[in-house]
């Protein structure tokens, strides 16, 4: 299994992905910013007044890290799945496959582009959040490392979706029926301590819960789960998904069929 990275090819792919995001910024940057602004107004401001405090923080403060992470996750995923499937649909993925770039380079380049878009949108949503509430980062290293790892996980998942997708409808099934429910049930809007014991245990099977809580811990210093477990689970997903993607490309799944 060749995991060597061609750095010239890597930089070219990342540059292409960033230019793509910037070129169509009305589709890639503006919509999530508007959506998150509505979340802050409706859930944080209007509903938050009735809820009051949660885990010792104003409700707006409590949901802000979750909303930032949600925007990072969805945009990292969406960027990779649309970009790589677009390459398949446009028939120029073959040029990458026959080029001197290794399959690992193709994966890492697309994932890096997805992470960059996630960070750009996440940064914009953070600025929006600061217009509604105060956020003091309690643990900067945890905050930054977890947002990078979480965006990497979902960029890799987006790559898997793109590999298996045969038509444009296929790239919307996972975000609609899997990603969105897991995100909403991942502790973005509530602490799982509010749930009955059975549903607390069920929630622990949701990987997004660990990402959201670790990121919230980095900013606010509170979490429903062990930060060590969060890093372990996310790291396992990164390694496992990268290996899966590399195996799929080596076998030509979705490309040579």
């Amino acid at each position: 299994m060749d995991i060597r990275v061609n750095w010239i090819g890597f930089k070219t792919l990342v540059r292409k992905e960033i230019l793509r995001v910037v070129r169509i910024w009305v589709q890639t940057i503006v919509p999530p910013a508007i959506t998150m602004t509505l979340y802050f107004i409706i859930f944080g401001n209007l509903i938050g007044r009735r809820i009051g405090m949660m885990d010792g923080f104003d409700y707006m403060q409590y949901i802000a890290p979750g909303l930032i992470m949600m925007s990072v996750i969805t945009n990292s995923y969406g960027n990779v799945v649309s970009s790589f499937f677009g390459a398949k649909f446009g028939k120029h993925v073959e040029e990458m496959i026959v080029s001197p770039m290794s399959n690992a380079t193709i994966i890492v380049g697309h994932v890096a582009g997805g992470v960059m878009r996630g960070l750009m949108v996440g940064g914009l949503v953070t600025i929006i959040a600061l217009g509604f509430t105060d956020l003091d980062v309690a643990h900067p290293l945890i905050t930054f490392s977890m947002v990078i790892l979480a965006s990497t996980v979902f960029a890799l998942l987006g790559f898997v979706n793109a590999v298996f997708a045969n038509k444009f409808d296929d790239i919307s099934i996972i975000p609609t029926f899997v990603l969105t429910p897991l995100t909403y049930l991942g502790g973005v809007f509530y602490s799982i301590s509010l749930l009955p014991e059975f549903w607390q245990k069920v929630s622990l099977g949701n990987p997004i819960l660990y990402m959201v809580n670790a990121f919230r811990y980095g900013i606010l210093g509170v979490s429903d789960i062990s930060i060590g477990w969060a890093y372990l689970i996310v790291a396992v997903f990164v390694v496992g998904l990268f290996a899966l993607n590399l195996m799929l490309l080596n076998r030509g799944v979705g490309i040579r069929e």
Side-chain angles (χ1 to χ4, degrees), residues 65 137-139 142-143 212-223 225 227:
V137 180
H139 306 282
I142 293 176
T143 302
V212 169
N213 271 275
F215 187 66
R216 180 177 286 131
Y217 178 80
I219 294 179
L220 302 180
V222 296
S223 173
I225 48 88
I227 303 303

Side-chain angles (χ1 to χ4, degrees), residues 60-73:
M60 181 81 80
Q61 278 184 303
Y62 187 83
I63 67 171
L67 290 174
I68 295 169
M69 180 58 80
M70 185 166 71
S71 67
V72 170
I73 285 172

